[in-house]
Amino acid sequence: MPLPKTMNLLVLGQGTSGQDVVRWALAHPERVSQVTLYGGAKSSPTPETLEFEAAGVTCVYATEEVTGSYDVCVASPGISEFSPFFASASAHATQIMGEPEFSFRLSPERWIGITGTNGKTTTTALTAHLLESAGMDADAVGNIGDTPVSRVDHRAPGSWFVAELSSYQLATSSELHPHAAVLLNITPDHLSWHRSHEAYARAKCRIFRNMGKDDLAVINVEDEGVCDVRAIIDDGSRRVLELGLADSGARDAAFVRDGMLTVRLAGTETALVTIDELKIAGAHNVLNALAAASLVLFCGADAASIASGLRDFGALPHRIEPVGEVRGVRFYNDSKATNTDAVEKALTAFPSDRVVLLAGGRDKGTPLEDFARTVMSSTVHAIVCFGEARERFLAAFRDAEGSSEVDLAEADGLIDAVDVARTLADAGDVVLLSPACASFDEFSGFEERGDRFRSYVAELAAAEDAR
């Protein structure tokens, strides 16, 4: 269903996406006759909403009982489709959708969609970087930074939107239609929002819903979670590229052969760079690089530019980011690893290094038995558990096979954990902050946690230099 030429617009949530939808509406009075913003049960006026009210927006606070009648409702991603707030809004709006869906309907040309439990941000940034390396205009939007709606009026002619899309955003999509898209992996996450792992997985699959034979759906065929839903995606109605470290033999595939990243489209192979030429480490980042290269090659970028872009792309903040060295010990910030699967992937970046792992924070309640076994069989030689989750993590690691060979320690908070890690690390070792937990017991988000880790390592290095 197309958006009305003129609409009475309802916006749910007064966070970044909600604010940006309101700003777009205020900039387009010819399209929007009235804007109403519901902040939610715990909301109250903010400088932004007071500014909106002065511009004629109706702002409603401290309730989730929606009244009135609306043509379109745009719901913020933090509001579950199963929540009473969402249901109340849906009952009073002809159409309800997320912000990316709304943005797509405003500007539907040349979208690339990227989703998965882990690796989305790196792959999104790398895809945009590769397009730009090939001289093609690209905006990285979605969870990675700017909302799509804040960029729709500023797109250069012929530019690409490279959109990092969460399960929250995809769950309410209906007409979103990327020209190329990738599903990197699926592991249990965000179950409180989706109510079940099955609903979470189905939401991820919606990225491919409207794609056909002229588009390219990239799926990681070596990921168990993706394989569980493959029949939904690869149903014969769309073109599918099989992504993996090994060559699946498919006509469309991306893989590694003799250390060389290779993409095969319609049977024609393109060799790009060797694994050793990548600046981003770990088997998961090889897959991220293959995914990005496949997407942009399909969208028209030339192989030489892709290879050049792959060589010069560095680690993003909070994603296995090298942050310094103190007395020969190297420190890496992987604060973005807020689940166990992300930590397992991060450890593949250090196949021959002794690792002191910092794990902990706000417990997400995920099962730890398999995770603990995987960590114990890696190159980890010591673990410091910290924060609210430390007792449960310590117990899981103690119960795992191989625990007698790994030093286990605990700490109250992040800084204390770094200090403990230094007593367990020798010159040549790696201290890896890869917490497998949310950060909200101590910080406002993984970014603040990673920034504090980075700054503390810098303080330690400066103190050593001053001696």
Side-chain angles (χ1 to χ4, degrees):
M1 183 186 299
L3 294 173
K5 291 184 178 179
T6 304
M7 67 189 94
N8 184 1
L9 180 65
L10 169 64
V11 179
L12 296 191
Q14 59 189 51
T16 299
S17 64
Q19 290 177 28
D20 284 350
V21 172
V22 171
R23 291 188 181 99
W24 178 88
L26 291 173
H28 293 274
E30 77 284 358
R31 295 292 311 272
V32 182
S33 57
Q34 176 61 41
V35 188
T36 302
L37 171 67
Y38 272 72
K42 297 180 179 180
S43 64
S44 59
T46 67
E48 291 80 12
T49 61
L50 292 174
E51 178 185 334
F52 294 155
E53 289 182 289
V57 176
T58 300
C59 294
V60 183
Y61 309 102
T63 182
E64 295 184 353
E65 293 293 332
V66 176
T67 60
S69 179
Y70 308 92
D71 300 305
V72 175
C73 172
V74 180
S76 297
I79 300 168
S80 170
E81 62 178 328
F82 300 107
S83 68
F85 194 15
F86 191 95
S88 179
S90 184
H92 291 269
T94 304
Q95 302 182 62
I96 187 166
M97 64 195 70
E99 180 269 324
E101 171 79 13
F102 183 72
S103 302
F104 175 81
R105 297 199 199 181
L106 295 173
S107 182
E109 298 82 16
R110 293 173 298 279
W111 280 61
I112 295 173
I114 295 165
T115 196
T117 306
N118 296 305
K120 296 186 295 295
T121 301
T122 295
T123 305
T124 301
L126 179 53
T127 300
H129 175 73
L130 295 181
L131 288 168
E132 291 168 348
S133 295
M136 304 164 72
D137 286 322
D139 278 315
V141 296
N143 282 354
I144 192 171
D146 292 339
T147 57
V149 74
S150 70
R151 301 299 305 158
V152 293
D153 291 339
H154 310 286
R155 294 185 71 179
S159 68
W160 289 90
F161 262 5
V162 185
E164 178 187 335
L165 299 170
S166 72
S167 57
Y168 301 164
Q169 295 165 323
L170 291 168
T172 56
S173 67
S174 57
E175 296 184 17
L176 181 71
H177 182 171
H179 181 50
V182 62
L183 176 55
L184 295 165
N185 43 63
I186 300 177
T187 57
D189 206 0
H190 305 305
L191 301 189
S192 61
W193 196 100
H194 292 282
R195 301 291 176 89
S196 71
H197 177 67
E198 291 72 22
Y200 171 65
R202 286 196 302 272
K204 291 292 189 185
C205 293
R206 290 179 76 91
I207 197 170
F208 304 118
R209 178 177 179 175
N210 297 307
M211 296 174 66
K213 296 292 187 181
D214 294 329
D215 307 309
L216 186 69
V218 178
I219 60 173
N220 180 358
V221 296
E222 295 178 352
D223 180 79
E224 182 178 350
V226 174
C227 290
D228 287 343
V229 296
R230 179 168 180 169
I232 299 173
I233 304 164
D234 195 3
D235 61 359
S237 67
R238 58 185 64 87
R239 183 176 176 184
V240 173
L241 181 144
E242 298 184 357
L243 170 70
L245 294 177
D247 184 0
S248 70
R251 183 172 171 80
D252 293 306
F255 50 91
V256 178
R257 178 189 290 137
D258 298 328
M260 180 71 68
L261 276 65
T262 305
V263 177
R264 185 165 57 237
L265 289 175
T268 300
E269 291 189 4
T270 302
L272 295 167
V273 297
T274 66
I275 292 175
D276 292 341
E277 292 179 275
L278 296 176
K279 292 182 179 178
I280 49 177
H284 62 297
N285 274 326
V286 174
L287 289 170
N288 294 340
L290 283 168
S294 301
L295 295 169
V296 300
L297 192 63
F298 176 75
C299 292
D302 66 282
S305 296
I306 294 172
S308 177
L310 288 170
R311 291 188 190 100
D312 63 27
F313 182 80
L316 296 177
H318 316 299
R319 294 157 180 86
I320 320 182
E321 172 197 12
V323 295
E325 183 173 316
V326 182
R327 293 189 178 182
V329 176
R330 290 169 290 143
F331 291 78
Y332 286 81
N333 167 26
D334 194 37
S335 182
K336 181 63 170 65
T338 59
N339 57 55
T340 56
D341 184 64
V343 179
E344 292 177 18
K345 288 179 168 61
L347 290 173
T348 69
F350 307 98
S352 57
D353 294 298
R354 295 197 337 149
V355 175
V356 179
L357 176 66
L358 307 186
R362 173 68 54 80
D363 198 341
K364 300 177 93 172
T366 51
L368 296 178
E369 185 176 331
D370 291 343
F371 169 65
R373 279 199 298 265
T374 299
V375 171
M376 292 303 174
S377 63
S378 70
T379 57
V380 169
H381 84 92
I383 304 170
V384 183
C385 299
F386 67 95
E388 288 181 5
R390 67 184 183 274
E391 292 298 335
R392 195 169 80 93
F393 272 62
L394 272 173
F397 290 129
R398 286 190 183 117
D399 291 343
E401 185 177 347
S403 61
S404 61
E405 302 172 8
V406 176
D407 289 327
L408 298 176
E410 62 180 303
D412 291 332
L414 175 62
I415 299 307
D416 186 30
V418 175
D419 289 339
V420 172
R422 293 185 67 204
T423 69
L424 300 170
D426 297 323
D429 289 354
V430 164
V431 172
L432 173 65
L433 171 65
S434 195
C437 290
S439 58
F440 305 121
D441 59 335
E442 192 176 356
F443 301 100
S444 63
F446 73 84
E447 298 93 342
E448 184 186 1
R449 175 171 61 189
D451 289 343
R452 184 67 187 102
F453 177 73
R454 187 194 304 109
S455 65
Y456 187 55
V457 172
E459 291 170 20
L460 294 172
E464 285 298 317
D465 291 341
R467 289 190 177 188

